[in-house]
Amino acid sequence: MEQDTNTQRSPNADTADPVNLHDLGTELLRSAHASSSGRAGRTLVAGAGAPLQQTLLALVSGRSLSEHETPTAATLQVLSGAVRLTGGPQH
């Protein structure tokens, strides 16, 4: 499983404080451009005690995430740009 060292836990991760996704996305995209991995992320709602962990991820154009394990439930919402999502057989 690939570990994303640029994913940081948000100060809002354990609270119901609203987050401006546009502003945070812009900030993360700046960080992604400055990162050698071409990505940056922030956990908004932690998985423990929550039905679904929520993480905002910014990827520089042309970059990808390598195959990795995810929790049993996952959703994807694209806020800007386009993505190609592929999946393999479940083990």
Side-chain angles (χ1 to χ4, degrees):
M1 179 168 104
E2 178 182 350
Q3 178 68 25
D4 186 8
T5 57
N6 294 320
T7 301
Q8 301 172 0
R9 200 175 155 100
S10 171
N12 298 14
D14 296 320
T15 67
D17 294 340
V19 174
N20 183 315
L21 295 178
H22 179 269
D23 290 349
L24 182 54
T26 300
E27 174 189 327
L28 289 175
L29 192 53
R30 269 191 239 114
S31 295
H33 277 283
S35 170
S36 62
S37 68
R39 65 179 179 265
R42 178 102 25 99
T43 299
L44 305 174
V45 177
L52 185 65
Q53 177 175 317
Q54 298 175 26
T55 302
L56 184 60
L57 177 68
L59 284 173
V60 173
S61 180
R63 296 298 185 111
S64 64
L65 294 176
S66 51
E67 187 175 328
H68 61 281
E69 293 181 23
T70 60
T72 55
T75 64
L76 175 67
Q77 296 178 346
V78 180
L79 302 181
S80 177
V83 298
R84 180 179 302 160
L85 182 65
T86 59
Q90 294 185 358
H91 304 284

